[in-house]
Amino acid sequence: MADTKPWLDPEALQGDDNFLADYGEDMSRTLNLDTWLPENAVEQMMALLKREISDAVNAEDALRSRIRHEVLPLIRGHPGGPQEAGVYSAEPAQFESIYQSLLFAGRVEAVNGSFASYESLPMGITQIGIAIVGYEGTQGTFSQRLFRKEMAEKHNHLLDEVFDCISRRQENSSSTRKAPYSRLARRGIRAYAERAALVDKARAEWRIGQGNPCAYDLLTGSGYQRLLDASLDVLHRLVKRQKKFVFVNPILEDRGWLTLGSALNPGEYTVIETMERFGKQVVGRWQYDAGSRQRVARFVEECCPDILTGVFRTSTRAPPRLFHAHREHVHVAARIAMADSLLRRERGYPLLLDMAEMTCRSVFGEDGFLGLVQDAYSQVGAGLQFFNDSRSRR
């Protein structure tokens, strides 16, 4: 039937098998509260945690051994892979050279950002901060503030504006919307600002960024044409002009590649693929207009083959890290990221990126921002009627 609702379509409810595969039990058992533990069952909880964690670690060790001996040797020369694909080892002498000639010589800078938001009925206020740091100190901090207002002061058709305001507020806060455009805008603007600062404001020879250089929010514009245009411009300059960059992902993204990386020994890194596959996936899934689709597809064709994706590992006590770098400088880029990560061996993540984030928190801290907003509300006579102390569930 043409007007069948998605939630009534039996073809749309096929997640049970996936749940069983992911969690090892049927969902009906999970939903049965008789299988849930009471709050005072601490010993049972610890026994359950120890058993599940032990089983998972043992299975992961077995998987790691097989990957190391049977899969990693296949990366080099894999059909369809880049010519740089393979497993490489960085020697202590190479790290020492990078410390002396690049990192501590001030020839590497990192860019990271943060944002804080305050939501109330009259408006939503977002502060986005960006910091550029190197081992010679902070090179610059920048901030922008966005004011989201559903109620415009037009007053031409007041009743229509009132209903429009109520509708927009309900739409923007609806739980059925997974990512309202205002949230997408904040995330996309921060991602753009980090890369724009890295390209246009940083001055060091080498630049370190966080995440995926061609982030999904940028290749889609987060639904905004101007953001898409600006993003394609800055990314094109990053890839075709700057070239000496490395991006490191702080989160468990591309878990398949990280599984390969878990089989690496400390001091090893692997180059796996270009970013062309990722770019084509974005183009295939996002609903662009014809002109924008053509522009993004052209960018993916021209620039994404020049960006290589790999994984490095600095310590057995730290997780492997996904990195992206220009193919002309991929080996130096990987070693810069690894050398900087060795300065905090237990984390295995570039220290400069952590320093940039800490700088943002210091200069554009959330507590200070919220205090200023609440003080401003008080000074205009609003008191606490628009005070928001809620914490969303994650």
Side-chain angles (χ1 to χ4, degrees):
M1 196 179 279
D3 59 349
T4 299
K5 300 295 188 291
W7 55 87
L8 297 179
D9 184 356
E11 296 298 321
L13 298 175
Q14 296 182 352
D16 291 36
D17 291 341
N18 291 333
F19 187 90
L20 178 61
D22 288 341
Y23 293 97
E25 68 177 32
D26 190 88
M27 184 177 283
S28 61
R29 183 186 185 281
T30 306
L31 298 177
N32 181 2
L33 292 185
D34 289 336
T35 67
W36 292 39
L37 293 176
E39 62 177 338
N40 58 353
V42 178
E43 291 185 5
Q44 291 174 269
M45 173 64 73
M46 285 304 301
L48 174 64
L49 289 174
K50 288 172 63 176
R51 183 177 69 250
E52 292 293 341
I53 290 174
S54 176
D55 290 347
V57 170
N58 290 336
E60 197 68 23
D61 286 343
L63 178 64
R64 179 184 186 276
S65 178
R66 295 202 64 177
I67 290 174
R68 178 152 193 90
H69 294 100
E70 300 177 29
V71 179
L72 291 184
L74 301 178
I75 294 178
R76 185 180 299 275
H78 181 70
Q83 64 181 17
E84 297 87 352
V87 178
Y88 303 89
S89 180
E91 302 300 327
Q94 294 172 323
F95 290 142
E96 186 61 30
S97 175
I98 286 171
Y99 287 134
Q100 299 303 323
S101 64
L102 293 176
L103 282 169
F104 299 151
R107 295 169 62 191
V108 181
E109 291 174 351
V111 175
N112 212 339
S114 66
F115 70 78
S117 294
Y118 186 93
E119 295 291 335
S120 63
L121 277 178
M123 67 167 57
I125 308 172
T126 296
Q127 175 178 267
I128 301 174
I130 302 294
I132 306 172
V133 303
Y135 284 113
E136 292 186 336
T138 301
Q139 308 305 314
T141 57
F142 312 89
S143 67
Q144 178 65 278
R145 288 157 190 85
L146 306 175
F147 300 90
R148 178 186 52 77
K149 298 168 284 188
E150 291 100 349
M151 189 62 187
E153 296 184 2
K154 298 177 182 177
H155 306 311
N156 295 325
H157 303 283
L158 186 56
L159 188 58
D160 289 342
E161 292 173 18
V162 168
F163 283 121
D164 180 62
C165 173
I166 293 172
S167 176
R168 290 178 63 192
R169 287 182 178 178
Q170 186 65 17
E171 178 72 6
N172 281 335
S173 61
S174 172
S175 61
T176 61
R177 297 187 64 184
K178 294 182 179 179
Y181 276 117
S182 59
R183 297 179 195 171
L184 287 174
R186 292 194 303 244
R187 199 170 65 188
I189 290 171
R190 182 178 74 167
Y192 163 78
E194 289 174 354
R195 286 145 185 80
L198 188 143
V199 173
D200 295 326
K201 300 297 183 181
R203 291 292 175 262
E205 176 185 355
W206 277 91
R207 323 283 168 89
I208 303 180
Q210 178 174 273
N212 179 340
C214 302
Y216 186 88
D217 302 309
L218 301 182
L219 291 188
T220 63
S222 301
Y224 296 87
Q225 185 65 51
R226 286 184 173 83
L227 179 57
L228 177 62
D229 293 342
S231 298
L232 291 179
D233 173 69
V234 76
L235 291 176
H236 189 275
R237 289 186 288 121
L238 172 71
V239 177
K240 293 301 184 182
R241 298 181 190 176
Q242 174 55 36
K243 296 185 179 181
K244 292 185 177 182
F245 62 82
V246 58
F247 280 73
V248 182
N249 204 319
I251 60 176
L252 282 175
E253 214 167 66
D254 288 309
R255 292 171 59 195
W257 296 151
L258 291 177
T259 302
L260 284 177
S262 70
L264 297 171
N265 287 331
E268 290 182 339
Y269 64 96
T270 178
V271 177
I272 302 170
E273 65 172 352
T274 73
M275 289 209 66
E276 191 172 12
R277 178 181 62 85
F278 169 81
K280 288 181 176 179
Q281 285 181 345
V282 175
V283 174
R285 294 173 182 174
W286 188 260
Q287 293 184 354
Y288 300 94
D289 61 69
S292 295
R293 179 179 297 276
Q294 187 176 33
R295 289 189 60 210
V296 178
R298 184 165 60 248
F299 169 84
V300 169
E301 182 180 351
E302 292 178 359
C303 296
C304 285
D306 289 333
I307 307 174
L308 297 178
T309 295
V311 184
F312 68 81
R313 194 168 196 190
T314 56
S315 169
T316 56
R317 293 178 294 175
R321 300 290 184 179
L322 199 73
F323 75 92
H324 310 275
H326 197 283
R327 70 188 319 155
E328 291 182 15
H329 306 285
V330 64
H331 298 295
V332 177
R335 290 163 185 165
I336 287 174
M338 294 172 72
D340 201 29
S341 300
L342 281 168
L343 297 175
R344 288 186 67 184
R345 193 179 298 269
E346 74 284 356
R347 179 157 157 73
Y349 183 73
L351 179 57
L352 277 175
L353 283 175
D354 281 342
M355 289 172 56
E357 182 180 358
M358 289 187 287
T359 299
C360 279
R361 290 181 179 179
S362 174
V363 178
F364 311 113
E366 183 177 15
D367 290 341
F369 166 71
L370 297 181
L372 288 174
V373 172
Q374 292 166 8
D375 185 55
Y377 269 109
S378 298
Q379 290 191 30
V380 299
L384 295 178
Q385 64 172 312
F386 299 118
F387 178 72
N388 181 6
D389 194 32
S390 63
R391 296 290 184 268
S392 61
R393 296 172 60 182
R394 298 187 184 276

